[in-house]
């Protein structure tokens, strides 16, 4: 677009070219109000913590897991670790590994309990806890 500037420093359009559009700022006496609306997520609503899918002494709910833990505990430990997305050497290298994995499992699946409860339960009923956790992982993650 060609524009000529005259002596008063006012832009004057030249003939034959499109005319420039000059917008004047509008002064308004109204106040603008910004409203922010938070929408609920499409995810499930919070319903509190749930119980474990099987009981601590529910070994007969899955006899295969019970036999694996009883007769080949280290294999069951490494398999649980891998099923939960951790390295297979976690049971061998991480002190207190079962407390860590039990807390992780409870947190991920919103299961009731606390770290102190986990520690005491593991101390008193190690094999039962291992069986319960393997059943929970199998039920919630569809692992064979």
């Amino acid at each position: 677009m060609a524009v000529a500037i005259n002596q008063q420093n006012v832009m004057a359009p030249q003939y034959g070219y499109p005319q420039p559009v000059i917008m004047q700022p509008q002064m308004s006496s109204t106040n603008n109000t910004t409203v922010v609306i938070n929408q609920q997520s499409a995810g499930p609503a919070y319903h509190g913590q749930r119980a474990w899918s099987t009981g601590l002494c529910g070994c007969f709910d899955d006899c295969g897991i019970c036999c694996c833990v009883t007769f080949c505990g280290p294999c069951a430990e490494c398999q649980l670790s891998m099923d939960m997305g951790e390295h297979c050497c976690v049971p061998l290298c991480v002190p207190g590994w079962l407390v860590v994995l039990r807390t992780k499992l409870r947190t991920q699946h919103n299961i009731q309990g606390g770290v102190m409860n986990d520690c005491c339960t593991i101390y008193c009923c190690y094999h039962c806890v291992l069986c319960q956790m393997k059943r929970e992982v199998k039920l919630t993650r569809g692992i064979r």
Side-chain angles (χ1 to χ4, degrees), residues 31-89:
N31 292 332
N32 291 334
T33 304
T34 303
V35 178
V36 178
I37 299 173
N38 291 331
Q39 294 181 344
Q40 247 183 343
S41 65
Y46 179 75
H47 295 292
Q49 294 182 324
R50 68 174 182 87
W52 289 88
S53 297
T54 61
L56 187 61
C57 297
C59 287
F60 294 109
D61 292 344
D62 192 327
C63 290
I65 289 176
C66 184
C67 289
C68 179
V69 169
T70 302
F71 297 114
C72 191
C75 295
E77 293 170 351
C78 292
Q79 187 64 48
L80 175 64
S81 180
M82 289 188 306
D83 289 347
M84 291 186 64
E86 300 295 334
H87 194 274
C88 66
C89 292

Side-chain angles (χ1 to χ4, degrees), residues 5 14 20 30 34 38 65-66 75 80 123 128 134 139:
I5 300 177
Q14 292 181 341
T30 60
T34 303
N38 291 331
I65 289 176
C66 184
C75 295
L80 175 64
Y123 180 75
C128 294
K134 285 188 65 63
L139 292 171

